[in-house]
Amino acid sequence: MNQPHLRPLTSIIITFLAFSTLLPSSEVAAQPSGFNYNESRVPDFSLPELLKLQDGSAVTSAQQWRSNRRPEVLALFQDHVFGQQPNAVPRLRTRERSRKQDALEGRAVRREITVFFSDNDNGPSMDILVYTPADAETPVPCFMGFNFHGNHSVDPDPAIHITTSWVRDDSKRGNIDHRATEKSRGKSSSRWPVEMIVSRGYGVATIYYGDVDPDFDDGFKNGIHSILEPHTTARAGNAGGSISAWSWALSRGLDVLEMDPLVDGSRVSTFGHSRLGKTSLWAGASDERFAMVISNDSGCGGAALSRRRFGETVKRINTSFPHWFCINHRQYNDNENASPVDHHMLMALIAPRPVYVGSAEKDLWADPHGEMLSLFHAGPVFELLGRKGLPNDNVATVNQPIQTDVGYHIRTGKHDVTDFDWTQYMNFADRHLK
Ligand code: GCU
């Protein structure tokens, strides 16, 4: 039977579903329907034990954690969640692309450093935009994280080069035909309060994630995959997805900062929002040189416990973003309890280094309470290593940060990065990096 009134509606829904995964997250419905946002409907589950080796024996000392259990957990995340990071370390070449000694009205030194991943100037490369306080007399502690829209989107400064890498189309932002335009300058500055950060004595370094691996499913041919991956054989089930590629590049950023005279490479914290928060956690877990790790609204596949199935689920994330995780991760679609890990173990991989998880009240898609519970359940490892985890698993009070050797807050508002978030991250860094 002809049902003309249904057709437009169906096509609208299909169009929405098709495009919602491509749009910048700020423009996607905050809470897609068909998922659970109700605490009383969280299923019962038990978490894999952190302090038990795969052969069943108990881990009772810091030494056993370090030598036996930590390597096991790391391998489990490599094999079942994110996939391996590229294991080739190409010879990096760097070139200072620009420098301004008196940026931000004299408060900061601003540099753009190009990092080439091969001997070819036209091959894959990434630009690190670094601000350091102009009045610093010694190398400063620094936050480093990816941005979503190009380094030029971080600050309106007309001297910052506009990225020529692939960007997501967004006409309001000025991204047309996957290229950024002048219009997009400074459009993400609210997420990068560079002045506030340098005025507190920190450096801030950011990289456009699309320089490293453009965020769409191309079978891992572009970005760094073009030089690091031979495309002769089928990908292994534990070959790294884009999150592994991005996090690997954060380590390459750290390689550069370690050599930098203005930054103290032993006091660099990763930072990231949302998918880039997942990246920040995986970078911090994989590379113990990072002195601190920050996850902002990282949700499913990041700080949140997958077994809660609250908001975004494993199946949904693997379906919408097939390139983020490894192929093996798909085994846990609607099957979270079968996974040998959950994300409290990702937090534990960061211990004893400080880790901070920021959530937002309206960001139910990212499961704020589940993000806190991961940190809470990593507690036994922090304690074993002589650090303090979260004091309890009570639902946290909005806008009241908890900071021990780990930090957590849930602030009012939506999925975003705000000055409130940065203020807490810097307060936490004051305790741990200064
Ligand atoms: C989507 C995705 C999330 C992700 C977010 C983002 O909402 O489902 O997992 O964190 O995009 O990165 O903005």
Side-chain angles (χ1 to χ4, degrees), residues 25 148 274-275 278 298 312 317 321 324 365 415:
S25 52
F148 278 86
S274 210
R275 70 198 66 183
K278 308 180 211 297
S298 63
E312 188 170 27
I317 204 165
F321 306 100
W324 285 1
W365 185 235
H415 188 70

Side-chain angles (χ1 to χ4, degrees), residues 70 74 78 85 247 251 281-288 349 353:
R70 188 180 185 282
L74 185 63
Q78 288 165 344
Q85 288 185 336
S247 61
S251 287
L281 289 168
W282 183 225
S286 308
D287 188 341
E288 294 184 87
L349 286 173
R353 293 164 295 150

Side-chain angles (χ1 to χ4, degrees), residues 95-372:
R95 186 177 299 156
E96 190 170 280
R97 195 175 183 192
S98 74
R99 175 191 279 254
K100 193 166 186 212
Q101 283 298 128
D102 57 352
L104 308 177
E105 291 166 355
R107 290 190 194 89
V109 177
R110 195 259 300 128
R111 290 169 297 157
E112 291 172 282
I113 303 169
T114 304
V115 183
F116 298 95
F117 293 114
S118 70
D119 289 338
N120 178 358
D121 274 13
N122 300 316
S125 65
M126 66 182 187
D127 273 5
I128 313 180
L129 172 67
V130 199
Y131 288 88
T132 43
D135 58 2
E137 282 161 10
T138 50
V140 291
C142 186
F143 299 95
M144 176 165 61
F146 284 114
N147 63 74
F148 278 86
H149 300 288
N151 293 349
H152 66 281
S153 70
V154 163
D155 190 87
D157 183 342
I160 300 173
H161 288 86
I162 293 184
T163 183
T164 52
S165 297
W166 175 95
V167 292
R168 280 182 283 176
D169 270 348
D170 184 348
S171 56
K172 274 206 219 122
R173 184 173 267 282
N175 293 349
I176 315 286
D177 291 337
H178 299 297
R179 296 291 152 211
T181 66
E182 276 294 332
K183 195 179 161 193
S184 52
R185 256 187 210 295
K187 283 268 195 310
S188 301
S189 55
S190 68
R191 289 184 172 185
W192 294 95
V194 282
E195 233 176 279
M196 179 168 114
I197 299 172
V198 295
S199 74
R200 286 190 55 166
Y202 291 98
V204 54
T206 184
I207 304 162
Y208 173 48
Y209 82 137
D211 282 358
V212 175
D213 189 12
D215 192 1
F216 61 91
D217 185 14
D218 73 327
F220 301 101
K221 300 216 168 50
N222 58 18
I224 58 160
H225 294 105
S226 66
I227 53 161
L228 294 184
E229 199 160 325
H231 285 277
T232 46
T233 47
R235 292 195 108 225
N238 68 351
S242 293
I243 293 175
S244 271
W246 297 322
S247 61
W248 174 88
L250 276 187
S251 287
R252 303 295 69 80
L254 182 56
D255 295 343
V256 173
L257 293 186
E258 280 187 326
M259 310 289 287
D260 192 281
L262 302 184
V263 170
D264 179 349
S266 69
R267 291 185 293 158
V268 173
S269 174
T270 64
F271 160 81
H273 169 63
S274 210
R275 70 198 66 183
L276 302 177
K278 308 180 211 297
T279 303
S280 165
L281 289 168
W282 183 225
S286 308
D287 188 341
E288 294 184 87
R289 293 175 303 160
F290 287 110
M292 184 173 128
V293 176
I294 302 168
S295 144
N296 191 85
D297 303 354
S298 63
C300 181
L305 288 176
S306 300
R307 280 167 172 75
R308 280 169 51 82
R309 299 177 56 85
F310 187 107
E312 188 170 27
T313 60
V314 169
K315 180 178 181 187
R316 164 67 189 235
I317 204 165
N318 282 332
T319 309
S320 307
F321 306 100
H323 56 296
W324 285 1
F325 299 88
C326 68
I327 293 168
N328 287 345
H329 193 233
R330 299 179 194 166
Q331 296 170 60
Y332 309 108
N333 289 354
D334 286 336
N335 190 24
E336 292 84 353
N337 289 315
S339 172
V341 298
D342 210 320
H343 286 241
H344 61 309
M345 296 161 86
L346 184 59
M347 303 292 163
L349 286 173
I350 298 163
R353 293 164 295 150
V355 52
Y356 197 112
V357 174
S359 302
E361 193 181 18
K362 290 198 177 144
D363 188 20
L364 296 183
W365 185 235
D367 186 13
H369 188 50
E371 293 182 313
M372 194 206 82

